[in-house]
């Protein structure tokens, strides 16, 4: 006889990537994962031991983070349980045996670890009492965490071979792991951790996977394979939907796709306002292959290629030749249109395994981005050489991230000059006039924009980081997602200033942060005089439709009104009252950054 019907549950999270998906749940969680036993080559045993030790260190940092949070929210006493977890991580009865198993039997680390946890669990289950018996669930929890980290480590793809179309439900998914998913079989995605501008959400939008973040299915009646609906537009997840839910969402999904195909008729039209101002529309991409989608959507250029994704999914560094081939491929496919290659922006939520980047307590403000490149000049020079060589064949622009002072951009240009000289010496071709740009995403760079503008050919405003640094709101923290406020007057005034400085110096200015793809924000940006908007490919056609329906004059007047307002709520209200009805009439339904209209 069939068991009781699983209970319907509606979970609310952060709308991370628009669209709708219906399918079976795939719980990316070690309890449901099969830990496969592998025998590794004996000479790789020490590497495997090192991988285990890194995972244990990472688990320690994670637990410490949770402990701090619980101490603050609930109390010191309740948080003490995490001391036990940390002790278990170091317990020689576990660690020494696992290391011995790896060395003697050449087992993979996750198998050796899970085997040890299972053996201990069995042993203590049969006892009548005692410390470990009382802490069985803690032991399992620690085991789960370590195995989770090991299985999500960059070179372990075994569990990513999802054989059929599913809704992936994850705890803490890294951008590098998501970039390796089989796109065709990933219908939708939910994550427990992350906000709208965390890189997993950005990547989900780029890959056009409907996604909701900040969703936990703990305590919900959910088994692998049960049906789930992901509503990435509104930020809802429905577990065990009713037939009525499914019908309703089938209709929404069909309307979404119909809208997409209607939009495709705009592909070859120009992004010009009704009074004739051309706004360059470009795409942000994370993977070279995405240029095919960019071409399909008729973008003017690639405004941001996040090159660090080449470095995230492997234990070693990509060689100069590998990088050169990737850059050349994008340049040639897009030619004569430009491809803006941003140098490796590692750190934050994008850890590069080969750099052994430890999880930091404050990673977004830590050893990140241009700082890492300036500290690793040989690695940096390899990337610059590859970009310069690719520039010989197509329209490639080079851009530097997270510049926070004049010295950094000058030092970076010095290194670029050294590389140019080396290429000259070797008789290697490159474009000597390749444009050089700088991201403006740190408030100190806004203050110093006038001086920085003298050093570069273009500016690209990274609003994701600019907002987090201006408002001191971690962009990847779902607990404070509501505080991540693009409409803060402090943000708008900085953007206006950067555009003005660009005008004075006669250099091009783009916005490549997520605000560029937000219809309401984009009208204001256009009114402020932005030259180029660069966004996830999925937003390009709707944005073109919007641009073709507004006049520059109207946008300019709107931007002036925005600059006169002094609170984020007033600005949001103004934009909604003027434009939400118009957007609905145009069939523009994606609101990736500002809160969904209510
Ligand atoms: C930004 O910060 O706005 C940006 C475009 O860069 P990233 O999102 O990769 O940090
Ligand atoms: Mg940034």
């Amino acid at each position: 006889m069939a068991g009781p019907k699983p209970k319907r549950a509606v979970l609310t999270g952060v709308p991370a990537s628009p669209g709708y998906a219906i399918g079976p749940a795939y719980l990316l969680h070690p309890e449901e994962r099969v830990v496969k036993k592998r025998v590794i080559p004996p000479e790789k045993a020490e590497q495997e031991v090192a991988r285990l030790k890194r995972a244990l260190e990472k688990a320690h940092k994670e637990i410490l983070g949770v402990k701090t949070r619980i101490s603050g929210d609930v109390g010191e006493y309740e948080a003490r349980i995490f001391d036990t977890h940390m002790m278990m991580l170091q317990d020689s009865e576990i660690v020494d045996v696992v290391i011995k198993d790896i060395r003697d039997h050449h087992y993979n680390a996750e198998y050796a670890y899970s085997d040890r946890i299972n053996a201990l669990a069995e042993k203590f289950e049969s006892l009548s009492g005692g410390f470990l018996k009382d802490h069985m669930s803690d032991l399992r929890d620690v085991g789960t965490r370590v195995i989770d980290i090991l299985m999500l480590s960059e070179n372990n793809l075994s569990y990513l071979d999802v054989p059929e179309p599913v809704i992936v439900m994850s705890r803490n998914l890294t951008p590098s792991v998501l970039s390796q998913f089989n796109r065709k079989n990933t219908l939708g995605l939910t994550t427990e951790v992350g906000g709208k501008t965390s890189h997993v959400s950005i990547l989900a939008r780029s890959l056009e996977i409907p996604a909701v973040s900040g969703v936990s299915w703990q305590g919900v009646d959910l088994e692998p394979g049960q049906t789930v609906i992901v509503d990435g537009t509104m930020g809802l997840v429905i577990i065990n939907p009713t037939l009525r839910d499914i019908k309703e969402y089938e209709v929404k999904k069909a309307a979404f796709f119909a809208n997409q195909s209607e939009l495709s008729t705009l592909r070859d039209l120009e992004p010009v306002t009704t009074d004739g101002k051309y706004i360059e529309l470009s795409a942000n991409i994370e993977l070279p292959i995405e240029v095919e989608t960019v071409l399909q959507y008729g973008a003017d250029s690639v405004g941001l290629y996040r090159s660090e994704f080449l470095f995230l999914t492997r234990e070693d560094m990509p060689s100069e030749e590998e990088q050169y081939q990737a850059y050349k491929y994008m340049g040639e496919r897009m030619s004569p249109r430009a491809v803006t290659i941003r140098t490796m922006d590692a750190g934050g939520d994008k850890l590069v395994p080969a750099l052994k980047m430890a999880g930091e307590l404050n990673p977004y403000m830590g050893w990140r981005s241009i700082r890492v490149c300036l500290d690793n000049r040989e690695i940096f020079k390899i990337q610059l050489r590859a970009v310069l060589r690719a520039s010989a064949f197509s329209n490639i622009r080079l851009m530097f991230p997270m510049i926070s002072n004049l010295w950094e951009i000058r030092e970076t240009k010095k290194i670029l000059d050294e590389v140019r000289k080396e290429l000259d010496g070797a008789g290697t071709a490159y474009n000597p006039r390749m444009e050089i740009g700088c991201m403006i995403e740190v408030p100190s760079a806004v203050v110093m924009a006038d001086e920085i503008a003298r050093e570069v050919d273009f500016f690209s405003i990274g609003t994701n980081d600019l907002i987090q640094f201006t408002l001191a709101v971690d962009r990847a923290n779902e607990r404070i997602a509501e505080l991540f406020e693009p409409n803060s007057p402090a943000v708008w005034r900085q953007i206006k200033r950067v555009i003005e400085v660009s005008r004075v110096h006669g250099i091009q200015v783009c916005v490549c942060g997520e605000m560029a793809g937000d219809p309401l924000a984009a009208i204001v940006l256009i009114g402020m005089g932005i030259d180029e908007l660069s966004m996830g490919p999925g937003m390009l056609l709707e944005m073109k439709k919007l641009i073709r329906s507004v006049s520059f004059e109207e946008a300019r007047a709107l931007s002036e009104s925005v600059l006169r307002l002094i609170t984020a709520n007033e600005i949001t209200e103004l934009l909604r009252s003027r434009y939400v009805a118009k957007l609905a009439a145009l069939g523009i339904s994606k609101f990736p950054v500002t809160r969904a209209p209510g």
Side-chain angles (χ1 to χ4, degrees):
M1 221 174 74
K5 231 173 112 205
K7 257 178 55 201
R8 174 183 185 268
V10 181
L11 311 175
T12 332
V14 180
S17 175
Y20 310 96
I22 307 170
Y26 180 84
L27 307 187
L28 196 56
H29 200 280
E31 273 116 2
E32 286 78 26
R33 261 187 230 150
V34 180
V35 180
K36 287 191 190 145
K37 176 167 156 185
R38 281 186 290 120
V39 176
I40 53 170
E43 68 277 13
K44 295 239 164 113
E46 284 316 306
Q47 251 172 282
E48 199 64 3
V49 170
R51 196 163 80 83
L52 171 76
K53 288 186 176 165
R54 280 204 301 278
L56 293 171
E57 256 172 55
K58 186 152 191 259
H60 183 88
K61 283 199 182 101
E62 279 186 16
I63 296 172
L64 201 60
V66 180
K67 184 189 164 193
T68 314
R69 202 162 106 185
I70 301 282
S71 314
D73 287 359
V74 187
E76 295 270 337
Y77 182 80
E78 287 73 6
R80 278 194 328 187
I81 186 64
F82 295 103
D83 292 330
T84 311
H85 283 207
M86 286 189 273
M87 270 161 53
M88 284 174 172
L89 274 181
Q90 288 160 2
D91 192 328
S92 57
E93 261 212 78
I94 303 174
V95 182
D96 292 356
V97 175
V98 174
I99 292 180
K100 193 166 173 340
D101 267 357
I102 297 175
R103 287 192 176 137
D104 293 355
H105 304 294
H106 309 131
Y107 291 149
N108 52 319
E110 43 275 71
Y111 175 76
Y113 201 86
S114 88
D115 196 42
R116 185 65 191 144
I117 297 287
N118 287 340
L120 282 175
E122 248 173 59
K123 184 169 154 193
F124 291 107
E125 210 90 69
S126 59
L127 297 181
S128 53
F131 176 79
L132 270 176
K133 170 94 176 167
D134 294 344
H135 288 89
M136 273 320 303
S137 68
D138 297 312
L139 182 67
R140 289 254 179 235
D141 201 5
V142 168
T144 295
R145 187 179 294 278
V146 174
I147 295 162
D148 199 2
I149 293 169
L150 284 166
M151 291 191 75
L152 288 175
S153 72
E154 319 313 345
N155 265 355
N156 193 332
L157 299 185
S158 51
Y159 74 99
L160 297 177
D161 303 334
V162 185
E164 52 178 13
V166 289
I167 307 279
V168 175
M169 304 189 71
S170 69
R171 192 151 71 174
N172 184 5
L173 192 62
T174 63
S176 60
V177 170
L178 177 58
S179 72
Q180 296 168 77
F181 266 71
N182 173 343
R183 166 68 191 93
K184 258 205 344 260
N185 283 346
T186 311
L187 299 174
L189 173 72
T190 75
T191 65
E192 217 175 89
V193 175
K196 273 183 195 171
T197 58
S198 59
H199 284 96
V200 164
S201 303
I202 290 175
L203 186 59
R205 289 198 286 279
S206 274
L207 300 175
E208 298 184 63
I209 300 171
V212 181
S213 64
V215 167
S216 165
W217 70 89
Q218 240 84 118
V220 170
D221 192 1
L222 177 63
E223 294 290 328
Q226 281 175 5
T227 305
V228 170
I229 294 177
V230 172
D231 176 346
T233 304
M234 292 309 290
L236 297 176
V237 178
I238 307 179
I239 315 273
N240 301 317
T242 59
L243 265 182
R244 214 166 124 185
D245 292 327
I246 293 179
K247 271 194 195 137
E248 183 190 328
Y249 272 93
E250 290 289 6
V251 172
K252 284 191 181 180
K253 216 170 101 179
F256 189 84
F257 284 123
N259 189 29
Q260 291 291 103
S261 75
E262 190 220 308
L263 285 168
S264 64
T265 57
L266 289 158
R267 184 187 177 280
D268 297 318
L269 300 179
E270 292 198 320
V272 279
T273 60
T274 54
D275 46 0
K277 183 161 167 46
Y278 192 101
I279 309 294
E280 195 172 325
L281 274 191
S282 319
N284 295 347
I285 60 172
E286 287 74 38
L287 312 171
I289 190 70
E290 285 181 85
V291 289
E292 306 304 330
T293 323
V294 174
L295 289 168
Q296 203 183 308
Y297 288 143
D300 285 321
S301 64
V302 170
L304 167 63
Y305 165 57
R306 291 183 164 96
S307 72
E308 56 276 9
F309 276 77
L310 274 182
F311 299 73
L312 296 181
T313 53
R314 49 195 297 161
E315 293 284 334
D316 57 347
M317 279 285 171
S319 66
E320 178 184 325
E321 191 57 26
E322 280 174 78
Q323 293 188 52
Y324 164 69
Q325 291 299 343
Y327 306 152
K328 183 164 172 276
Y329 159 72
M330 287 185 287
E332 287 184 338
R333 285 297 289 143
M334 288 300 294
S335 183
R337 289 165 277 205
V339 174
T340 310
I341 298 177
R342 177 177 76 182
T343 55
M344 183 178 68
D345 186 15
D349 57 356
K350 294 174 291 192
L351 301 186
V352 169
L355 287 171
K356 309 264 177 292
M357 304 182 87
E360 297 175 1
L361 279 181
N362 204 346
Y364 277 103
M365 291 205 227
W367 195 55
R368 223 196 114 182
S369 201
I370 198 72
R371 300 167 184 176
V372 174
C373 291
L374 290 173
D375 281 352
N376 285 284
R377 298 194 178 203
E378 275 319 303
I379 291 172
F380 194 28
K381 282 171 101 173
I382 291 172
Q383 178 167 45
L384 296 177
R385 252 198 307 275
V387 173
L388 278 166
R389 282 174 56 201
S391 75
F393 302 93
S394 50
N395 186 359
I396 283 184
R397 301 193 286 190
L398 181 63
M399 175 159 87
F400 302 111
M402 216 191 163
I403 297 292
S404 62
N405 60 48
L406 203 53
W407 178 82
E408 281 170 347
I409 187 72
R410 287 186 174 157
E411 196 62 15
T412 298
K413 284 173 64 188
K414 233 195 267 169
I415 298 173
L416 184 65
D417 269 343
E418 279 172 32
V419 176
R420 284 194 183 112
K421 285 202 187 93
E422 286 165 16
L423 291 177
D424 288 339
T428 308
Y430 64 91
N431 173 11
R433 284 177 297 281
M434 177 178 69
E435 288 185 17
I436 309 298
C438 168
M439 288 197 68
I440 302 290
E441 52 182 347
V442 182
S444 59
V446 177
V447 176
M448 298 301 289
D450 202 30
E451 287 75 12
I452 296 174
R454 293 171 214 271
E455 304 287 337
V456 293
D457 302 306
F458 65 92
F459 275 163
S460 193
I461 306 175
T463 53
N464 308 335
D465 276 313
L466 187 61
I467 295 167
Q468 84 162 340
F469 293 135
T470 299
L471 305 178
V473 175
D474 181 345
R475 62 192 272 190
N477 186 339
E478 70 288 353
R479 289 187 76 192
I480 48 171
E482 282 293 308
L483 300 180
F484 189 89
E485 181 49 89
N487 276 333
S488 159
V491 172
W492 278 120
R493 287 181 196 186
Q494 290 185 79
I495 294 174
K496 175 67 179 167
R497 168 157 166 77
V498 176
I499 296 173
E500 274 171 4
V501 170
S502 320
R503 290 292 79 90
V504 169
H505 290 271
I507 64 173
Q508 174 146 353
V509 57
C510 169
V511 169
C512 66
E514 296 302 293
M515 275 174 89
D518 175 338
L520 294 176
I523 305 172
V524 184
L525 292 170
I526 292 167
M528 287 185 177
I530 204 80
D531 301 309
E532 179 185 350
L533 295 171
S534 193
M535 64 201 72
M539 274 310 294
L540 285 164
L541 293 173
E542 288 201 347
M543 191 57 72
K544 194 185 279 187
K545 192 172 188 184
L546 175 63
I547 291 173
R548 292 176 62 83
S549 77
V550 294
S551 74
F552 174 61
E553 266 318 303
E554 153 195 1
R556 197 181 52 73
L558 180 73
S559 74
E560 282 174 6
S561 306
V562 164
L563 287 169
R564 277 194 293 272
L565 297 174
I566 55 172
T567 68
N569 279 348
E570 287 169 337
I571 296 175
T572 303
E573 269 324 298
L574 172 75
L575 300 182
R576 284 188 186 177
S577 63
R578 297 264 183 93
Y579 282 96
V580 164
K582 177 171 177 136
L583 294 180
L586 285 169
I588 293 177
S589 56
K590 299 171 186 167
F591 292 85
V593 178
T594 49
R595 278 165 273 162

